[in-house]
Coordinates of all heavy atoms in Angstrom, one line a residue:
M284 N -63.6 -4.0 50.4 CA -64.4 -3.0 51.0 C -65.9 -3.5 50.8 O -66.4 -3.7 49.8 CB -64.1 -1.6 50.5 CG -65.0 -0.6 51.2 SD -64.4 1.0 50.7 CE -65.8 1.6 49.8
W285 N -66.6 -3.5 52.0 CA -68.0 -3.9 51.9 C -68.9 -2.6 51.9 O -68.6 -1.6 52.6 CB -68.4 -4.6 53.2 CG -67.8 -6.0 53.2 CD1 -66.6 -6.4 53.7 CD2 -68.4 -7.1 52.6 NE1 -66.4 -7.7 53.5 CE2 -67.5 -8.2 52.8 CE3 -69.6 -7.4 51.9 CZ2 -67.7 -9.4 52.3 CZ3 -69.8 -8.6 51.4 CH2 -68.9 -9.7 51.7
L286 N -69.9 -2.5 51.1 CA -70.9 -1.5 51.1 C -72.1 -1.9 51.9 O -72.8 -2.9 51.5 CB -71.3 -1.1 49.7 CG -72.3 -0.1 49.5 CD1 -71.8 1.2 50.0 CD2 -72.7 0.1 48.1
Y287 N -72.4 -1.3 53.0 CA -73.6 -1.6 53.8 C -74.7 -0.7 53.5 O -74.6 0.5 53.5 CB -73.3 -1.5 55.4 CG -72.3 -2.5 55.8 CD1 -70.9 -2.3 55.8 CD2 -72.7 -3.8 56.1 CE1 -70.0 -3.2 56.3 CE2 -71.9 -4.8 56.5 CZ -70.5 -4.5 56.6 OH -69.6 -5.5 57.1
L288 N -75.8 -1.3 53.0 CA -77.0 -0.5 52.7 C -77.9 -0.4 54.0 O -77.8 -1.3 54.9 CB -77.7 -1.1 51.6 CG -77.0 -1.2 50.3 CD1 -77.8 -1.9 49.2 CD2 -76.7 0.1 49.8
S289 N -78.8 0.5 54.0 CA -79.7 0.6 55.2 C -80.5 -0.7 55.2 O -81.0 -1.3 54.3 CB -80.6 1.8 55.0 OG -81.6 1.8 56.0
Y290 N -80.5 -1.3 56.4 CA -81.3 -2.5 56.7 C -82.2 -2.4 57.8 O -81.8 -2.0 58.8 CB -80.3 -3.7 56.9 CG -81.0 -5.0 57.1 CD1 -81.6 -5.7 56.1 CD2 -81.2 -5.4 58.4 CE1 -82.2 -6.9 56.3 CE2 -81.8 -6.7 58.7 CZ -82.4 -7.4 57.6 OH -83.0 -8.5 57.8
T291 N -83.4 -2.7 57.6 CA -84.5 -2.7 58.6 C -84.9 -4.1 58.9 O -85.3 -4.8 58.0 CB -85.7 -1.8 58.3 OG1 -85.2 -0.5 57.9 CG2 -86.6 -1.7 59.4
R292 N -84.9 -4.5 60.2 CA -85.3 -5.8 60.5 C -86.9 -5.7 60.5 O -87.5 -4.7 60.9 CB -84.9 -6.3 61.9 CG -83.5 -6.6 61.9 CD -83.0 -7.3 63.1 NE -82.8 -6.4 64.2 CZ -82.8 -6.7 65.5 NH1 -83.1 -7.8 65.9 NH2 -82.6 -5.7 66.4
L293 N -87.5 -6.8 60.1 CA -89.0 -6.9 60.0 C -89.4 -7.7 61.2 O -88.9 -8.7 61.5 CB -89.4 -7.5 58.7 CG -89.0 -6.7 57.4 CD1 -89.4 -7.5 56.2 CD2 -89.7 -5.4 57.4
M294 N -90.5 -7.2 61.8 CA -91.1 -8.0 62.8 C -92.4 -8.6 62.3 O -93.3 -7.9 61.7 CB -91.5 -7.0 64.0 CG -92.2 -7.6 65.1 SD -91.4 -8.9 66.0 CE -90.0 -8.1 66.6
K295 N -92.6 -9.9 62.5 CA -93.8 -10.5 62.2 C -94.8 -10.5 63.4 O -94.3 -10.7 64.5 CB -93.5 -12.0 61.7 CG -92.9 -12.1 60.5 CD -92.8 -13.5 59.9 CE -92.1 -13.5 58.6 NZ -92.3 -14.8 58.0
T296 N -96.1 -10.3 63.2 CA -97.0 -10.3 64.2 C -98.3 -10.9 63.7 O -98.6 -10.9 62.5 CB -97.2 -8.9 64.7 OG1 -98.1 -8.9 65.9 CG2 -97.8 -8.0 63.7
A297 N -99.1 -11.3 64.6 CA -100.5 -11.9 64.2 C -101.5 -10.9 64.8 O -101.4 -10.5 66.0 CB -100.6 -13.3 64.8
I298 N -102.5 -10.6 64.0 CA -103.6 -9.8 64.5 C -104.9 -10.4 64.2 O -105.0 -11.2 63.4 CB -103.6 -8.3 63.9 CG1 -103.7 -8.5 62.4 CG2 -102.3 -7.6 64.2 CD1 -104.0 -7.1 61.7
S299 N -105.9 -10.0 65.0 CA -107.3 -10.5 64.7 C -108.2 -9.4 64.3 O -108.2 -8.3 64.9 CB -107.9 -11.2 66.0 OG -107.1 -12.2 66.5
I300 N -108.8 -9.6 63.1 CA -109.7 -8.5 62.7 C -111.0 -9.2 62.2 O -111.0 -10.4 61.8 CB -109.1 -7.7 61.4 CG1 -108.7 -8.6 60.2 CG2 -107.9 -6.9 61.9 CD1 -108.2 -7.8 59.1
P301 N -112.1 -8.5 62.3 CA -113.5 -9.1 61.7 C -113.3 -9.4 60.3 O -112.6 -8.8 59.5 CB -114.4 -7.9 62.0 CG -113.8 -7.0 63.0 CD -112.2 -7.1 62.7
D302 N -114.0 -10.6 59.9 CA -114.0 -11.0 58.5 C -114.4 -10.0 57.5 O -113.7 -9.9 56.5 CB -115.0 -12.2 58.4 CG -114.6 -13.4 59.1 OD1 -113.3 -13.6 59.3 OD2 -115.4 -14.3 59.3
P303 N -115.4 -9.0 57.7 CA -115.7 -8.1 56.7 C -114.5 -7.1 56.5 O -114.2 -6.8 55.3 CB -116.8 -7.3 57.2 CG -117.5 -8.2 58.2 CD -116.3 -9.1 58.7
Q304 N -113.8 -6.8 57.5 CA -112.5 -5.9 57.4 C -111.5 -6.6 56.6 O -110.7 -6.0 55.7 CB -112.0 -5.4 58.7 CG -112.7 -4.2 59.3 CD -112.0 -3.8 60.5 OE1 -111.3 -4.5 61.2 NE2 -112.2 -2.5 60.8
F305 N -111.3 -8.0 56.9 CA -110.4 -8.7 56.2 C -110.6 -8.8 54.7 O -109.7 -8.5 53.9 CB -110.2 -10.1 56.8 CG -109.1 -11.0 56.1 CD1 -107.8 -10.9 56.4 CD2 -109.6 -11.8 55.2 CE1 -106.9 -11.6 55.8 CE2 -108.7 -12.7 54.5 CZ -107.3 -12.6 54.8
A306 N -111.9 -9.0 54.4 CA -112.3 -9.2 53.0 C -112.0 -7.8 52.3 O -111.6 -7.8 51.1 CB -113.7 -9.6 52.9
A307 N -112.5 -6.7 52.9 CA -112.3 -5.4 52.3 C -110.8 -5.1 52.1 O -110.4 -4.5 51.1 CB -112.9 -4.3 53.2
A308 N -109.9 -5.5 53.1 CA -108.4 -5.2 52.9 C -108.0 -6.0 51.7 O -107.1 -5.6 51.1 CB -107.8 -5.6 54.3
E309 N -108.4 -7.3 51.7 CA -107.9 -8.2 50.6 C -108.3 -7.5 49.2 O -107.4 -7.5 48.3 CB -108.5 -9.5 50.7 CG -108.0 -10.4 51.8 CD -106.5 -10.8 51.6 OE1 -106.4 -11.6 50.6 OE2 -105.6 -10.4 52.3
Q310 N -109.5 -7.0 49.1 CA -109.8 -6.4 47.8 C -109.1 -5.1 47.6 O -108.6 -4.9 46.4 CB -111.3 -6.1 47.8 CG -112.2 -7.3 47.8 CD -113.8 -6.9 47.9 OE1 -114.1 -5.7 48.2 NE2 -114.6 -7.9 47.7
L311 N -108.8 -4.3 48.6 CA -108.1 -3.1 48.4 C -106.6 -3.4 48.1 O -106.1 -2.7 47.1 CB -108.1 -2.3 49.7 CG -107.4 -0.9 49.6 CD1 -107.9 0.0 48.4 CD2 -107.5 -0.3 51.0
A312 N -106.0 -4.3 48.7 CA -104.6 -4.7 48.4 C -104.6 -5.2 46.9 O -103.6 -4.8 46.2 CB -104.2 -5.8 49.3
K313 N -105.5 -6.0 46.5 CA -105.5 -6.6 45.1 C -105.6 -5.3 44.1 O -105.0 -5.2 43.1 CB -106.6 -7.5 44.9 CG -106.6 -8.2 43.6 CD -107.7 -9.3 43.6 CE -107.4 -10.1 42.3 NZ -108.4 -11.3 42.4
R314 N -106.5 -4.4 44.5 CA -106.8 -3.2 43.6 C -105.6 -2.3 43.5 O -105.3 -1.8 42.5 CB -108.0 -2.5 44.0 CG -108.5 -1.4 43.1 CD -109.7 -0.7 43.5 NE -109.4 0.3 44.5 CZ -110.1 0.6 45.6 NH1 -111.2 0.0 45.8 NH2 -109.6 1.5 46.4
L315 N -104.9 -2.2 44.5 CA -103.7 -1.3 44.6 C -102.4 -2.1 44.2 O -101.4 -1.4 44.1 CB -103.5 -0.7 46.0 CG -104.6 0.2 46.5 CD1 -104.4 0.6 48.0 CD2 -104.8 1.4 45.6
G316 N -102.5 -3.3 44.0 CA -101.3 -4.1 43.5 C -100.3 -4.2 44.7 O -99.1 -4.3 44.5
L317 N -100.8 -4.4 45.9 CA -100.0 -4.5 47.0 C -100.2 -5.9 47.7 O -101.3 -6.5 47.5 CB -100.4 -3.5 48.1 CG -100.2 -2.0 47.8 CD1 -100.8 -1.1 48.9 CD2 -98.8 -1.7 47.6
S318 N -99.2 -6.4 48.4 CA -99.3 -7.5 49.1 C -100.1 -7.2 50.4 O -100.3 -6.0 50.8 CB -98.0 -8.1 49.6 OG -97.3 -7.3 50.5
R319 N -100.6 -8.2 51.1 CA -101.4 -7.9 52.4 C -100.4 -7.3 53.3 O -100.9 -6.3 54.0 CB -101.8 -9.3 52.8 CG -102.8 -9.1 54.1 CD -103.2 -10.4 54.7 NE -103.8 -11.3 53.7 CZ -103.6 -12.7 53.7 NH1 -102.9 -13.3 54.6 NH2 -104.2 -13.3 52.7
S320 N -99.3 -7.7 53.4 CA -98.2 -7.1 54.4 C -98.1 -5.6 54.0 O -98.0 -4.8 54.9 CB -97.0 -7.8 54.4 OG -97.1 -9.1 54.9
E321 N -97.9 -5.3 52.7 CA -97.7 -3.9 52.4 C -98.8 -3.1 52.7 O -98.7 -2.0 53.2 CB -97.4 -3.9 50.9 CG -96.0 -4.4 50.5 CD -95.9 -4.5 48.9 OE1 -96.8 -4.9 48.3 OE2 -94.8 -4.3 48.5
L322 N -100.0 -3.6 52.4 CA -101.2 -2.8 52.8 C -101.3 -2.5 54.2 O -101.5 -1.4 54.7 CB -102.5 -3.6 52.3 CG -103.8 -2.9 52.7 CD1 -104.1 -1.7 51.7 CD2 -105.0 -3.8 52.6
Y323 N -101.1 -3.5 55.1 CA -101.1 -3.3 56.6 C -100.0 -2.4 57.0 O -100.2 -1.5 57.9 CB -101.1 -4.6 57.3 CG -102.4 -5.4 57.1 CD1 -102.3 -6.7 56.7 CD2 -103.6 -4.8 57.4 CE1 -103.5 -7.4 56.6 CE2 -104.8 -5.6 57.2 CZ -104.8 -6.9 56.8 OH -105.9 -7.6 56.6
Q324 N -98.9 -2.4 56.4 CA -97.7 -1.5 56.7 C -98.1 -0.1 56.4 O -97.9 0.8 57.3 CB -96.5 -1.9 56.0 CG -95.8 -3.2 56.5 CD -94.7 -3.7 55.6 OE1 -94.1 -2.8 54.8 NE2 -94.4 -4.9 55.5
H325 N -98.7 0.2 55.2 CA -99.1 1.5 54.9 C -100.2 2.0 55.8 O -100.2 3.1 56.2 CB -99.6 1.5 53.4 CG -98.5 1.3 52.3 ND1 -97.5 2.3 52.2 CD2 -98.3 0.3 51.4 CE1 -96.8 1.9 51.2 NE2 -97.2 0.7 50.7
A326 N -101.2 1.1 56.0 CA -102.3 1.5 56.9 C -101.8 1.9 58.3 O -102.2 2.9 58.9 CB -103.3 0.4 57.0
L327 N -100.9 1.1 58.9 CA -100.4 1.4 60.2 C -99.5 2.6 60.2 O -99.6 3.5 61.1 CB -99.5 0.2 60.7 CG -99.0 0.2 62.2 CD1 -100.2 0.5 63.1 CD2 -98.2 -0.9 62.4
A328 N -98.6 2.8 59.2 CA -97.8 4.0 59.2 C -98.7 5.3 59.1 O -98.5 6.3 59.7 CB -96.9 4.0 57.9
E329 N -99.8 5.2 58.3 CA -100.7 6.4 58.2 C -101.3 6.7 59.5 O -101.5 7.8 60.0 CB -101.8 6.2 57.1 CG -102.6 7.4 56.8 CD -103.6 7.0 55.7 OE1 -103.2 6.6 54.6 OE2 -104.7 7.4 55.8
F330 N -101.8 5.6 60.2 CA -102.5 5.7 61.5 C -101.4 6.4 62.5 O -101.9 7.3 63.3 CB -102.9 4.4 62.0 CG -103.7 4.4 63.2 CD1 -105.1 4.7 63.2 CD2 -103.2 4.1 64.4 CE1 -105.9 4.7 64.3 CE2 -104.0 4.1 65.6 CZ -105.3 4.5 65.5
I331 N -100.2 5.9 62.6 CA -99.3 6.4 63.5 C -99.0 7.9 63.2 O -98.9 8.8 64.0 CB -97.9 5.6 63.4 CG1 -98.2 4.2 64.0 CG2 -96.8 6.3 64.1 CD1 -97.1 3.3 63.7
D332 N -98.8 8.2 61.9 CA -98.5 9.6 61.5 C -99.7 10.5 61.9 O -99.4 11.6 62.4 CB -98.4 9.8 59.9 CG -97.1 9.3 59.4 OD1 -96.1 9.1 60.3 OD2 -96.9 9.1 58.3
R333 N -101.0 10.1 61.7 CA -102.1 10.9 62.1 C -102.0 11.2 63.6 O -102.3 12.3 64.1 CB -103.3 10.1 61.7 CG -104.6 11.1 62.0 CD -105.9 10.5 61.5 NE -105.8 9.4 60.5 CZ -106.4 8.3 60.6 NH1 -107.1 8.0 61.6 NH2 -106.2 7.4 59.6
H334 N -101.7 10.2 64.4 CA -101.7 10.4 65.9 C -100.5 11.1 66.3 O -100.5 11.8 67.3 CB -101.9 9.0 66.5 CG -103.3 8.5 66.5 ND1 -104.3 9.0 67.3 CD2 -103.9 7.7 65.7 CE1 -105.5 8.4 67.0 NE2 -105.2 7.7 66.0
D335 N -99.4 11.0 65.7 CA -98.2 11.8 65.9 C -98.5 13.3 65.7 O -98.1 14.1 66.5 CB -97.0 11.4 65.1 CG -96.3 10.1 65.6 OD1 -96.6 9.7 66.8 OD2 -95.4 9.6 64.9
Q336 N -99.2 13.6 64.7 CA -99.6 15.0 64.4 C -100.6 15.5 65.6 O -100.4 16.7 66.0 CB -100.4 15.2 63.1 CG -99.3 14.9 61.9 CD -100.0 14.9 60.6 OE1 -101.2 15.1 60.5 NE2 -99.3 14.6 59.5
D337 N -101.4 14.6 66.0 CA -102.3 15.0 67.2 C -101.4 15.3 68.4 O -101.7 16.3 69.1 CB -103.3 13.9 67.6 CG -104.3 13.7 66.5 OD1 -104.5 14.5 65.6 OD2 -104.9 12.6 66.6
C338 N -100.4 14.5 68.6 CA -99.5 14.7 69.8 C -98.7 16.1 69.6 O -98.7 16.8 70.6 CB -98.5 13.6 69.8 SG -97.4 13.7 71.2
I339 N -98.3 16.4 68.4 CA -97.6 17.7 68.2 C -98.6 18.9 68.5 O -98.3 19.8 69.2 CB -97.1 17.8 66.8 CG1 -95.9 16.8 66.6 CG2 -96.7 19.2 66.5 CD1 -95.5 16.6 65.2
T340 N -99.8 18.7 68.0 CA -100.9 19.8 68.3 C -101.1 19.9 69.7 O -101.2 21.0 70.2 CB -102.1 19.4 67.5 OG1 -101.9 19.3 66.1 CG2 -103.2 20.5 67.8
D341 N -101.2 18.8 70.5 CA -101.4 18.8 71.9 C -100.3 19.5 72.6 O -100.5 20.4 73.5 CB -101.6 17.4 72.5 CG -102.9 16.8 72.1 OD1 -103.8 17.5 71.7 OD2 -103.0 15.6 72.2
M342 N -99.0 19.2 72.2 CA -97.8 19.9 72.8 C -97.9 21.4 72.5 O -97.6 22.2 73.4 CB -96.6 19.3 72.3 CG -96.3 17.9 72.9 SD -94.8 17.2 72.5 CE -94.9 16.9 70.8
L343 N -98.2 21.8 71.4 CA -98.3 23.1 71.0 C -99.4 23.9 71.8 O -99.2 25.0 72.2 CB -98.5 23.4 69.5 CG -97.3 23.1 68.6 CD1 -97.6 23.1 67.1 CD2 -96.1 24.1 68.9
N344 N -100.5 23.2 71.9 CA -101.6 23.8 72.7 C -101.2 24.0 74.1 O -101.5 25.1 74.7 CB -102.9 22.9 72.6 CG -103.6 23.0 71.3 OD1 -103.3 24.0 70.5 ND2 -104.4 22.0 71.0
H345 N -100.4 23.0 74.7 CA -99.9 23.2 76.0 C -99.0 24.4 76.2 O -99.0 25.2 77.1 CB -99.2 22.0 76.5 CG -98.6 22.1 77.8 ND1 -99.4 22.2 79.0 CD2 -97.3 22.2 78.2 CE1 -98.6 22.3 80.0 NE2 -97.3 22.3 79.6
V346 N -98.1 24.6 75.1 CA -97.2 25.7 75.2 C -97.8 27.0 75.1 O -97.5 28.0 75.8 CB -96.1 25.6 74.0 CG1 -95.4 26.8 73.9 CG2 -95.2 24.4 74.3
Y347 N -98.9 27.1 74.3 CA -99.6 28.4 74.1 C -100.8 28.5 74.9 O -101.6 29.5 74.7 CB -99.9 28.6 72.6 CG -98.6 28.7 71.7 CD1 -98.2 27.6 70.9 CD2 -97.8 29.9 71.9 CE1 -97.0 27.8 70.2 CE2 -96.6 30.0 71.1 CZ -96.2 28.9 70.3 OH -95.1 29.1 69.7
D348 N -101.1 27.6 75.8 CA -102.2 27.7 76.7 C -102.1 29.0 77.5 O -101.1 29.4 78.0 CB -102.2 26.5 77.7 CG -103.5 26.4 78.5 OD1 -104.4 27.3 78.4 OD2 -103.5 25.5 79.3
D349 N -103.3 29.7 77.8 CA -103.3 30.9 78.5 C -102.9 30.7 79.9 O -102.4 31.7 80.5 CB -104.8 31.5 78.5 CG -105.2 32.0 77.0 OD1 -104.3 32.3 76.3 OD2 -106.4 32.2 76.8
S350 N -103.1 29.6 80.5 CA -102.8 29.3 81.9 C -101.3 29.1 82.1 O -100.7 29.1 83.2 CB -103.5 28.1 82.5 OG -103.1 27.0 81.8
H351 N -100.5 28.9 80.9 CA -99.1 28.7 81.0 C -98.4 30.0 81.3 O -98.6 31.1 80.6 CB -98.6 28.2 79.7 CG -97.1 27.8 79.6 ND1 -96.6 26.7 80.3 CD2 -96.1 28.3 79.0 CE1 -95.3 26.7 80.0 NE2 -95.0 27.7 79.3
D352 N -97.5 30.0 82.3 CA -96.7 31.2 82.7 C -95.6 31.4 81.7 O -94.7 30.6 81.7 CB -96.3 31.2 84.1 CG -95.6 32.4 84.6 OD1 -95.6 33.4 83.8 OD2 -94.8 32.3 85.6
S353 N -95.6 32.4 80.8 CA -94.5 32.7 79.9 C -93.4 33.4 80.6 O -92.3 33.4 80.0 CB -95.1 33.5 78.8 OG -95.3 34.8 79.3
G354 N -93.5 33.9 81.7 CA -92.4 34.6 82.3 C -92.3 36.0 81.9 O -91.4 36.7 82.4
L355 N -93.1 36.4 81.0 CA -93.1 37.8 80.5 C -93.9 38.8 81.4 O -94.8 38.3 82.2 CB -93.8 37.9 79.1 CG -93.0 37.2 77.9 CD1 -93.9 37.3 76.7 CD2 -91.7 37.8 77.8
E356 N -93.5 39.9 81.4 CA -94.2 41.0 82.2 C -95.6 41.0 81.6 O -95.9 40.9 80.4 CB -93.5 42.4 81.9 CG -94.0 43.5 82.8 CD -95.1 44.3 82.2 OE1 -95.2 44.4 80.9 OE2 -96.0 44.6 82.9
P357 N -96.7 41.0 82.5 CA -98.1 40.8 82.1 C -98.5 41.7 81.0 O -99.2 41.3 80.0 CB -98.8 41.1 83.4 CG -97.9 40.8 84.5 CD -96.5 41.1 84.0
N358 N -98.2 43.0 80.9 CA -98.5 44.0 79.9 C -98.0 43.5 78.6 O -98.6 43.6 77.5 CB -98.2 45.4 80.2 CG -99.0 46.0 81.4 OD1 -100.2 45.5 81.5 ND2 -98.5 46.9 82.1
L359 N -96.6 43.1 78.5 CA -96.0 42.7 77.3 C -96.7 41.4 76.8 O -97.0 41.3 75.6 CB -94.5 42.5 77.6 CG -93.7 42.0 76.4 CD1 -93.9 43.0 75.1 CD2 -92.3 41.8 76.7
A360 N -97.0 40.5 77.7 CA -97.7 39.3 77.3 C -99.0 39.5 76.7 O -99.5 39.0 75.7 CB -97.8 38.3 78.5
A361 N -99.8 40.5 77.3 CA -101.1 40.9 76.7 C -101.0 41.5 75.4 O -101.8 41.2 74.5 CB -101.8 41.9 77.7
M362 N -99.9 42.3 75.2 CA -99.8 43.0 73.9 C -99.4 41.9 72.8 O -99.9 42.0 71.7 CB -98.7 44.1 73.9 CG -99.1 45.3 74.6 SD -97.9 46.7 74.5 CE -96.5 46.0 75.5
Q363 N -98.6 40.9 73.2 CA -98.3 39.8 72.2 C -99.6 39.1 71.8 O -99.8 38.8 70.7 CB -97.2 38.9 72.8 CG -95.9 39.4 72.9 CD -94.9 38.3 73.3 OE1 -95.3 37.5 74.2 NE2 -93.7 38.4 72.9
I364 N -100.4 38.7 72.7 CA -101.7 38.0 72.5 C -102.5 38.9 71.6 O -103.1 38.3 70.6 CB -102.3 37.6 73.7 CG1 -101.6 36.6 74.5 CG2 -103.8 37.2 73.5 CD1 -102.0 36.2 75.9
Q365 N -102.6 40.2 71.9 CA -103.5 41.0 71.0 C -102.9 41.1 69.6 O -103.7 41.4 68.7 CB -103.6 42.4 71.7 CG -104.4 42.4 72.9 CD -104.4 43.8 73.6 OE1 -103.7 44.7 73.3 NE2 -105.2 43.9 74.6
S366 N -101.7 41.0 69.4 CA -101.1 41.1 68.1 C -101.2 39.9 67.2 O -101.0 39.9 66.0 CB -99.6 41.4 68.1 OG -98.8 40.3 68.6
L367 N -101.6 38.8 67.8 CA -101.8 37.6 67.0 C -103.1 37.7 66.1 O -104.1 38.2 66.6 CB -102.0 36.4 67.9 CG -100.7 36.0 68.8 CD1 -101.0 34.9 69.8 CD2 -99.6 35.6 67.8
P368 N -103.1 37.0 65.0 CA -104.3 37.0 64.2 C -105.4 36.2 64.8 O -105.1 35.4 65.7 CB -103.8 36.5 62.9 CG -102.5 35.7 63.1 CD -101.9 36.4 64.4
T369 N -106.6 36.5 64.5 CA -107.7 35.8 65.1 C -108.2 34.7 64.2 O -109.5 34.4 64.3 CB -108.8 36.8 65.3 OG1 -109.2 37.4 64.1 CG2 -108.5 37.9 66.4
D370 N -107.4 34.0 63.4 CA -107.7 32.9 62.6 C -108.2 31.7 63.5 O -107.8 31.5 64.5 CB -106.6 32.4 61.7 CG -106.2 33.4 60.7 OD1 -107.0 34.4 60.4 OD2 -105.1 33.3 60.1
E371 N -109.3 31.0 63.0 CA -109.7 29.8 63.7 C -108.9 28.6 63.2 O -108.6 28.6 62.0 CB -111.2 29.6 63.5 CG -112.1 30.6 64.2 CD -113.6 30.2 64.2 OE1 -113.8 29.0 64.0 OE2 -114.4 31.1 64.2
W372 N -108.6 27.7 64.0 CA -107.9 26.5 63.7 C -108.8 25.4 63.4 O -109.5 24.9 64.0 CB -106.9 26.2 64.8 CG -105.8 27.1 64.8 CD1 -105.8 28.4 65.1 CD2 -104.4 26.9 64.4 NE1 -104.5 28.9 65.0 CE2 -103.7 28.0 64.6 CE3 -103.8 25.7 64.0 CZ2 -102.3 28.1 64.3 CZ3 -102.4 25.8 63.7 CH2 -101.7 27.0 63.8

C-alpha cells in the first residue's frame, strides 16, 4: 500500500527587479534565514492575500450598495438600513 502525501508542483519563473530591491531582498532573506525563493514566495503570497481581501470587500460593497435592488418592500428595506450601526469602516 502506498501513502501519497500532498504534492505541489513548483513553477520556476524569471523576474526583473531593480538592483536596490534585489539587494534589499537578499539582506532580508539572510536576516530571516530564508532562501531567495522562500522570500519571494512569502512576499507574493502576502500580496495575493491582500488583493483577495480587497476583492471580497468590493463584492460586499456591491451587495450592500444602496442602488442594489434587494427585492424588499421599500419601507422594510428602509427600516433595515436604519437599524444598522453607524460605525465607520
Side-chain angles (χ1 to χ4, degrees):
M284 181 168 115
W285 290 92
L286 175 63
Y287 291 97
L288 300 176
S289 174
Y290 178 77
T291 303
R292 288 194 278 162
L293 299 176
M294 175 61 64
K295 289 188 177 193
T296 187
I298 61 170
S299 298
I300 60 174
D302 289 340
Q304 276 185 333
F305 179 81
E309 288 289 296
Q310 289 177 352
L311 180 59
K313 189 174 189 175
R314 191 176 78 217
L315 297 175
L317 299 172
S318 69
R319 185 184 307 144
S320 290
E321 289 171 321
L322 178 73
Y323 291 127
Q324 288 171 27
H325 289 294
L327 183 57
E329 186 176 314
F330 187 81
I331 290 169
D332 286 345
R333 186 175 338 129
H334 286 278
D335 280 349
Q336 291 172 6
D337 291 346
C338 181
I339 291 169
T340 300
D341 290 343
M342 287 187 292
L343 287 171
N344 285 340
H345 175 73
V346 168
Y347 295 107
D348 186 0
D349 289 341
S350 66
H351 182 73
D352 181 18
S353 66
L355 293 176
E356 189 271 323
N358 289 333
L359 179 58
M362 287 189 292
Q363 282 185 333
I364 290 171
Q365 289 174 353
S366 70
L367 294 174
T369 57
D370 295 342
E371 288 190 29
W372 286 69

